[in-house]
């Protein structure tokens, strides 16, 4: 059988380290050995080249063999358990091989089970036991109040347990730049406390592995990687070692550690809310290996820190939260009259600055501008509000560096880089808190700028001396307690604004109701005047004109006087008809009868007998009424509606042909405007209509023709429209000049 190693020997440097496949190095550290077995057959598929020095069997002898041919049955039972475990879980067991105790770590990797064997060394004595180490953790709760104090005592405890030269606790910011927040070290070492490290020190794929494998040891940075071998027939050429404890390390990272003059390291991941919050890193100047007991102890310390993060941060923010809460309560606790002037009281109060420790506050509400403290000008605030109304997707946005959002905001960001913005959901209406620039000096652990070596190859930093850098165009960040207080004020303001607007609308409605009531009373007076004071003189004029026209006196008068009397009689009749139509129009609006089910076929039969027969006979016209539906409506109003439309057709008949008026049901053939309607069509073949005026004809007093040639008051079709509105419907018209008009009546189908 032939074999080959799976060492990943591709060239790695800082040009491609972000893409380095560090989870499949194909090699391990030499302080243990590795085997991988097929999870179905338990055949050994991968073996490290150094297994012979630990168990006296070469990798050539191990590969292709069944696991039970080489190892004890108890380990085989352990492998059986691994098969049913979660893929991201590592389990351990101790076993004696060749008179040496080993700690065996095993986990699943695709279709294989990876087993790593490390010689078991006991490093705890009776005075420094795991029990005593764990017992100390309980005292940390009583002796520390803040997260930094807790990190300090954990760093000291881990140094006491592990005996490393230096123990660092550091946390990441949102961009994964690290800051050392606690340190315990040997006196001769330079301090790293307070220093920052750029995110490039730990690439993204390395951070991903720290999430999965929370404890990482490099026993000797000068180690020579041990390659892994497989048989030539094995198809998968790589083995995922993401959860491996022996996994070989990136050469870039080894070079980085050598530049720091570090001989061995231990790293514990601090994971909070499923994210890499920070790390505990231990450095030693010489090679160093830890027992399983010590590994468990330091891992427990790491879990303890992460379990306390929320509580300790809340404790640290308590004073800020109390201060902001007091400021908020002093504002929202005031009794308000819920009037426009209360807006000024709410947003022009200097206490509002203390809600989130800002230097200024502005509000734009219904085109009114309010400001408190040190703020941009009204013009610049409105420019900013316009930008944010389009940029911000939700109701809220805050930043400590406005310039990083857009270079176009320099007119604000130069003085106020920090803003806390809330939309009031009405175009550009908003409230904004401001913070001035806070120039902050950050000290890096060496110049974070990457440079080239003499061979033009990008290399890790060689210097880790303190390097000062100034951060500009930033304000202090907005804390959770401050944002919580401003959000509460925003909600309180929204509720009060809505209440004020509702009360104003209610008052407007009350005033409009009063005006409408007074107007209706005036209209009633006008109706009374129209009925009595106007019609009485008209009746007398018509009576006197009739006497003159009907008697012999008219013939004795000059012809021009006769014509004037006839015109006077005609004008009086038109005036009386106009007053009658106006009364009908106003009566339609006041009518509040209940709707009835009306068979339009019967209604037309009654209408024909009462009003239409004489009109059609005298005008030699034809009325055709097809089968019509039953609708809901007010009978006398519908009679008025249909009578007006038919008489309108008679009035505008064509002199070129006999008039024909057809009434039909078009419910199934015409567009129903998205709702269900009964559609009644009144079509004639009269003089027609230019569709430019198809809406104008329904306006009161609108006339398209000469009033001398075509009589009427101009109210008939307006009355038809009003009747249709009364029936929750509408009316439309379309026509062709010289050919006729079609009127469509839309009655809702309930």
């Amino acid at each position: 059988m032939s074999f080959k190693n799976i060492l990943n020997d591709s060239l790695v440097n800082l040009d491609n380290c972000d893409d380095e496949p560090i989870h499949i190095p194909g090699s391990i550290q030499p302080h243990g050995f590795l085997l991988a077995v097929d999870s179905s057959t338990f055949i050994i598929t991968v073996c490290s080249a150094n297994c012979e020095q630990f168990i006296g069997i070469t990798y050539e002898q191990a590969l292709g063999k069944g696991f039970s041919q080489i190892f004890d049955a108890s380990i085989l039972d352990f492998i059986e358990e691994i098969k049913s475990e979660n893929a991201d879980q590592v389990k351990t067991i101790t076993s004696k091989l060749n008179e040496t105790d080993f700690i065996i770590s095993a986990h699943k990797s695709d279709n294989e089970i990876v087993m790593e064997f490390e010689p078991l060394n006991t490093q705890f004595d009776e005075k420094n036991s795991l029990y005593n180490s764990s017992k100390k953790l309980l005292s940390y709760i009583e002796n520390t109040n803040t997260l930094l104090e807790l990190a300090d005592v954990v760093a000291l405890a881990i140094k006491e347990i592990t005996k490393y030269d230096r123990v660092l606790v550091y946390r990441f910011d949102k961009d994964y730049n690290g800051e050392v927040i606690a340190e315990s070290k040997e006196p001769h070492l330079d301090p790293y406390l307070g220093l920052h490290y750029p995110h490039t020190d730990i690439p993204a794929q390395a951070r991903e592995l720290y999430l999965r494998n929370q404890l990482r040891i490099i026993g000797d940075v000068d180690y020579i990687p041990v390659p892994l071998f497989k048989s030539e027939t094995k198809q998968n050429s790589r083995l995922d070692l993401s959860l491996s404890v022996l996994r070989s390390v990136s050469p870039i990272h080894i070079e980085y550690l050598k530049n720091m003059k570090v001989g061995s390291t231990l790293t514990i991941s601090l994971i909070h809310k499923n994210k890499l919050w920070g790390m505990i890193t231990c450095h030693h100047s010489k090679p160093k290996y830890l027992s399983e007991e010590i590994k468990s102890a330091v891992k427990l310390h790491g879990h303890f820190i992460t379990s306390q993060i929320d509580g300790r941060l809340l404790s640290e923010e308590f004073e800020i939260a109390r201060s902001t809460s007091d400021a908020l309560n002093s504002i929202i606790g005031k009794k308000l009259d819920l009037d426009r002037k209360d807006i000024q009281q709410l947003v022009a109060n200097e206490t509002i600055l203390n809600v989130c420790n800002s230097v200024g506050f502005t509000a734009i509400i219904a085109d009114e501008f309010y400001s408190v403290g040190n703020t941009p000008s009204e013009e610049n605030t409105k420019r900013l509000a316009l930008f944010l109304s389009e940029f911000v997707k939700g109701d809220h946005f805050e930043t400590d560096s406005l310039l990083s959002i857009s270079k176009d905001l320099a007119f604000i960001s130069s003085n106020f880089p920090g803003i806390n913005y809330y939309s009031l959901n009405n175009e550009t209406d908003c409230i904004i808190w401001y913070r001035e620039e806070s120039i902050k000096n950050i000290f890096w652990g060496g110049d974070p700028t990457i440079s080239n070596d003499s061979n033009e190859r990008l290399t890790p930093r060689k210097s880790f001396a303190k390097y000062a850098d100034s951060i500009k165009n930033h304000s202090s960040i907005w804390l959770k307690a401050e944002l919580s207080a401003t959000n509460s004020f925003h909600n309180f303001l929204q509720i009060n604004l809505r209440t004020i607007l509702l009360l104003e609308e209610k008052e407007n409605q009350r005033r409009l109701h009063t005006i409408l009531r007074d107007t209706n009373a005036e209209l009633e007076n006008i109706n009374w005047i129209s009925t009595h004071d106007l019609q009485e003189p008209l009746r007398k004029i018509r009576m006197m004109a009739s006497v003159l026209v009907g008697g012999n006196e008219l013939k004795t008068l000059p012809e021009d006087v006769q014509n004037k009397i006839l015109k006077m009689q005609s004008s009086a009749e038109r005036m009386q008809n106009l007053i009658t139509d106006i009364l009908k129009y106003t009566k339609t609006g006041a009518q509040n009868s209940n709707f009835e089910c009306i068979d339009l076929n019967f209604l037309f039969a009654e209408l024909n007998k009462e009003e239409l027969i004489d009109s059609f006979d005298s005008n030699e016209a034809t009325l055709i009424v097809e089968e019509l539906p039953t609708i809901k409506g007010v009978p006398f109003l519908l009679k008025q509606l249909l009578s007006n439309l038919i008489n309108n057709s008679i009035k505008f008949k064509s002199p070129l042909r006999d008039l024909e008026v057809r009434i039909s049901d078009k419910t199934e053939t015409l567009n129903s405007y998205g709702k269900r309607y009964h559609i009644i069509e009144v079509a004639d073949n009269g003089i027609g209509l230019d569709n430019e005026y198809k809406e104008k004809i329904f306006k009161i007093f609108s006339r398209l023709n000469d009033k001398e040639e075509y009589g009427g008051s101009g109210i008939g079709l307006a009355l038809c429209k009003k009747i249709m509105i009364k029936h929750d419907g509408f009316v439309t018209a379309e026509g062709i000049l010289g050919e006729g008009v079609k009127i469509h009546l839309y009655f809702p189908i309930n």
Side-chain angles (χ1 to χ4, degrees):
M1 182 182 292
S2 59
F3 310 96
K4 67 175 182 179
N5 72 57
I6 57 174
L7 182 66
N8 186 0
D9 55 0
S10 59
L11 178 64
V12 179
N13 55 44
L14 290 192
D15 289 321
N16 62 8
C17 68
D18 279 344
D19 300 318
E20 182 185 0
I22 58 177
H23 63 299
I24 52 170
S27 62
I28 62 170
Q29 299 179 56
H31 60 276
F33 71 98
L34 179 147
L35 298 174
V37 300
D38 186 285
S39 59
S40 299
T41 64
F42 292 168
I43 298 297
I44 298 175
T45 56
V46 178
C47 184
S48 62
N50 64 341
C51 67
E52 184 178 9
Q53 73 183 70
F54 291 98
I55 58 175
I57 298 173
T58 66
Y59 71 86
E60 293 95 340
Q61 293 172 321
L63 286 171
K65 298 290 195 307
F67 190 83
S68 60
Q69 293 177 254
I70 302 176
F71 295 96
D72 187 83
S74 62
I75 304 179
L76 190 63
D77 293 337
F78 175 59
I79 298 177
E80 287 280 5
E81 292 180 20
I82 298 296
K83 287 178 63 175
S84 60
E85 296 294 337
N86 186 290
D88 277 345
Q89 187 170 5
V90 178
K91 297 198 71 173
T92 60
I93 189 176
T94 58
S95 182
K96 187 180 288 292
L97 303 173
N98 283 0
E99 303 303 320
T100 302
D101 289 326
F102 283 86
I103 180 77
I104 306 172
S105 303
H107 67 276
K108 288 195 296 188
S109 177
D110 296 327
N111 296 322
E112 294 170 295
I113 295 175
V114 178
M115 306 183 67
E116 299 172 275
F117 301 76
E118 297 177 87
L120 186 61
N121 298 313
T122 302
Q123 297 184 21
F124 275 103
D125 56 30
E126 290 182 358
K127 294 181 180 179
N128 189 19
S129 67
L130 177 60
Y131 170 77
N132 289 331
S133 170
S134 301
K135 188 176 177 181
K136 283 185 178 181
L137 289 176
L138 300 177
S139 68
Y140 297 165
I141 297 177
E142 299 176 357
N143 298 330
T144 62
N145 295 312
T146 68
L147 188 61
L148 294 181
E149 290 174 350
L150 178 63
D152 277 338
V153 294
V154 168
L156 179 62
I158 290 178
K159 187 177 186 307
E160 289 177 354
I161 295 170
T162 62
K163 309 301 182 184
Y164 277 95
D165 293 338
R166 187 198 304 269
V167 177
L168 304 171
V169 180
Y170 67 100
R171 63 183 171 191
F172 296 123
D173 63 15
K174 63 181 185 300
D175 298 318
Y176 288 102
N177 299 305
E179 177 188 4
V180 178
I181 61 172
E183 180 182 38
S184 179
K185 67 179 185 64
E186 291 299 312
H188 67 278
L189 296 175
D190 293 332
Y192 286 175
L193 183 64
L195 297 185
H196 291 70
Y197 293 85
H199 66 91
T200 51
D201 279 7
I202 306 176
Q205 75 272 36
R207 294 195 296 268
E208 181 64 28
L209 286 184
Y210 280 125
L211 273 174
R212 298 186 64 191
N213 197 343
Q214 298 174 26
L215 191 141
R216 193 81 179 94
I217 291 179
I218 304 175
D220 183 356
V221 298
D222 291 320
Y223 76 90
I224 298 174
V226 177
L228 302 179
F229 283 86
K230 70 175 185 66
S231 65
E232 289 280 4
T233 57
K234 186 176 182 293
Q235 293 182 351
N236 187 5
S237 62
R238 297 299 182 190
L239 182 65
D240 189 339
L241 297 180
S242 297
L243 299 179
S244 169
V245 296
L246 295 174
R247 174 172 50 84
S248 191
V249 184
S250 165
I252 289 291
H253 185 56
I254 292 296
E255 186 176 353
Y256 180 91
L257 294 174
K258 289 181 178 179
N259 289 344
M260 293 185 73
K261 297 180 172 54
V262 171
S264 58
T265 67
L266 165 68
T267 304
I268 305 113
S269 304
L270 301 179
I271 298 173
H272 180 242
K273 296 182 179 178
N274 298 319
K275 291 185 178 180
L276 191 61
W277 180 87
M279 304 177 79
I280 300 174
T281 301
C282 307
H283 293 166
H284 203 63
S285 60
K286 299 177 181 179
K288 189 175 186 61
Y289 300 94
L290 301 179
S291 71
E292 193 63 23
E293 284 183 310
I294 293 181
K295 291 178 187 177
S296 298
V298 296
K299 195 171 182 180
L300 181 62
H301 282 67
H303 283 311
F304 186 75
I305 288 183
T306 55
S307 70
Q308 295 290 304
I309 289 174
D310 284 334
R312 300 301 172 113
L313 289 178
L314 286 175
S315 176
E316 291 174 15
E317 290 188 14
F318 174 76
E319 285 303 314
I320 296 174
R322 184 185 59 79
S323 174
T324 58
S325 179
D326 288 346
L328 177 65
N329 290 333
S330 70
I331 296 174
I332 67 178
K334 293 182 178 179
K335 185 177 180 181
L336 302 175
D337 296 328
L338 296 176
D339 202 341
R340 282 274 174 173
K341 66 179 183 298
D342 288 335
I343 299 177
Q344 178 78 18
Q345 293 181 25
L346 284 173
V347 300
N349 186 338
E350 287 194 1
T351 308
I352 203 169
L353 303 181
N354 299 330
V355 170
C356 60
N357 301 306
S358 62
V359 299
F361 171 85
T362 59
I364 301 174
I365 302 172
D367 292 329
E368 291 293 329
F369 176 75
Y370 308 87
S371 67
V372 182
N374 189 12
T375 67
S377 66
E378 179 176 352
E379 179 186 357
N380 283 343
T381 301
K382 289 183 176 180
R383 289 172 62 191
L384 176 62
L386 180 61
F387 170 84
L388 293 174
S389 68
E390 298 175 355
F391 174 78
V392 178
K393 302 303 180 185
D395 291 337
H396 175 242
F397 171 76
E398 96 276 347
T399 180
D400 61 338
S401 179
L402 191 58
L403 192 63
S404 66
I405 305 304
S406 173
K407 303 298 182 185
D408 296 333
L409 298 176
F411 63 93
I412 294 285
S413 62
S414 57
N415 294 317
F416 305 100
I419 66 162
N420 183 15
Y421 161 90
Y422 289 88
S423 168
L424 296 178
N425 298 319
N426 183 21
E427 295 182 351
T428 58
D429 283 10
C430 62
I431 54 177
I432 307 174
W433 283 270
Y434 302 88
R435 279 183 176 168
E436 295 174 330
E437 185 177 54
S438 175
I439 298 178
K440 182 169 60 176
N441 291 323
I442 289 184
F443 296 97
W444 297 94
D447 187 347
T449 306
I450 299 174
S451 60
N452 293 27
D453 65 10
S454 59
N455 297 319
E456 297 300 318
R457 181 181 70 90
L458 289 171
T459 62
R461 289 182 288 116
K462 294 181 173 61
S463 172
F464 294 89
K466 183 183 291 188
Y467 177 87
D469 190 15
S470 293
I471 304 299
K472 298 182 178 180
N473 298 313
H474 284 71
S475 72
S476 56
I477 64 172
W478 303 93
L479 299 178
K480 185 185 297 184
E482 296 167 337
L483 295 176
S484 177
T486 56
N487 184 60
S488 296
F489 176 80
H490 169 247
N491 293 334
F492 174 76
L493 180 61
Q494 287 272 67
I495 291 171
N496 279 274
L497 286 177
R498 292 191 189 103
T499 303
I500 291 170
L501 292 175
L502 285 173
L503 290 175
E504 288 182 349
E505 181 64 22
K506 185 176 179 180
E507 178 61 22
N508 288 335
Q509 293 291 338
R510 188 193 65 78
R511 286 199 298 267
L512 289 173
H513 177 74
T514 301
I515 294 171
L516 183 60
R517 185 188 60 199
D518 294 343
T519 302
N520 286 337
E522 291 179 5
L523 286 175
E524 288 179 6
N525 291 335
I526 292 172
N527 288 343
W528 179 263
I529 293 170
S530 300
T531 304
H532 296 84
D533 296 356
L534 292 179
Q535 292 206 61
E536 184 59 28
L538 284 173
R539 279 196 293 270
K540 290 181 179 179
I541 293 172
R542 290 187 63 195
M543 182 182 68
M544 294 175 64
S546 298
V547 171
L548 290 173
V549 171
N552 295 325
E553 293 90 342
L554 185 64
K555 297 179 181 178
T556 61
L557 295 174
E559 185 175 352
D560 61 332
V561 176
Q562 295 181 39
N563 290 334
K564 290 177 181 178
I565 292 173
L566 291 172
K567 287 183 179 179
M568 179 183 68
Q569 184 184 37
S570 176
S571 296
E573 289 178 358
R574 285 202 306 274
M575 184 66 174
Q576 194 161 31
N577 289 336
L578 175 61
I579 292 172
T580 301
D581 286 344
I582 290 175
L583 289 173
K584 288 179 182 178
Y585 187 80
T586 56
K587 185 178 180 182
T588 301
Q591 184 60 243
N592 194 26
S593 305
N594 292 326
F595 286 179
E596 302 174 15
C597 286
I598 300 170
D599 186 336
L600 291 179
N601 299 292
F602 289 115
L603 185 133
F604 261 107
E606 292 178 3
L607 190 63
N608 202 14
K609 290 178 182 178
E610 295 172 2
E611 302 180 22
L612 300 179
I613 290 178
D614 292 339
S615 296
F616 274 85
D617 288 344
S618 60
N619 286 280
E620 298 180 350
T622 303
L623 175 63
I624 301 172
V625 181
E626 298 179 357
E627 188 67 23
L628 299 176
T630 297
I631 65 171
K632 288 186 177 181
V634 182
F636 88 90
L637 289 179
L638 292 177
K639 283 185 179 181
Q640 184 72 50
L641 167 70
L642 295 168
S643 176
N644 279 10
L645 292 176
I646 293 171
N647 284 323
N648 206 61
S649 293
I650 293 173
K651 183 193 304 183
F652 296 104
K653 67 180 181 178
S654 172
L656 303 178
R657 53 187 170 271
D658 292 340
L659 175 66
E660 180 180 289
V661 180
R662 182 180 296 270
I663 316 293
S664 58
D665 181 6
K666 298 294 184 182
T667 301
E668 301 300 327
T669 59
L670 292 179
N671 182 3
S672 61
Y673 289 80
K675 283 183 63 176
R676 298 179 64 223
Y677 289 96
H678 286 299
I679 306 173
I680 308 302
E681 181 179 272
V682 180
D684 65 45
N685 61 348
I687 65 173
L689 168 71
D690 186 340
N691 281 326
E692 180 183 351
Y693 305 106
K694 64 182 181 180
E695 294 181 3
K696 182 181 178 182
I697 61 174
F698 293 108
K699 294 181 179 180
I700 191 168
F701 300 128
S702 292
R703 302 176 61 91
L704 305 183
N705 308 95
D706 183 11
K707 65 180 180 178
E708 297 296 333
E709 182 179 357
Y710 298 97
S713 60
I715 292 178
L717 290 180
L719 179 60
C720 291
K721 179 179 179 181
K722 194 167 186 179
I723 291 172
M724 288 306 300
I725 292 172
K726 171 70 178 176
H727 286 77
D728 298 322
F730 59 96
V731 58
T732 65
E734 60 182 50
I736 300 176
L737 279 176
E739 295 186 17
V741 174
K742 292 179 180 179
I743 303 291
H744 294 118
L745 307 173
Y746 289 78
F747 295 94
I749 300 176
N750 296 325

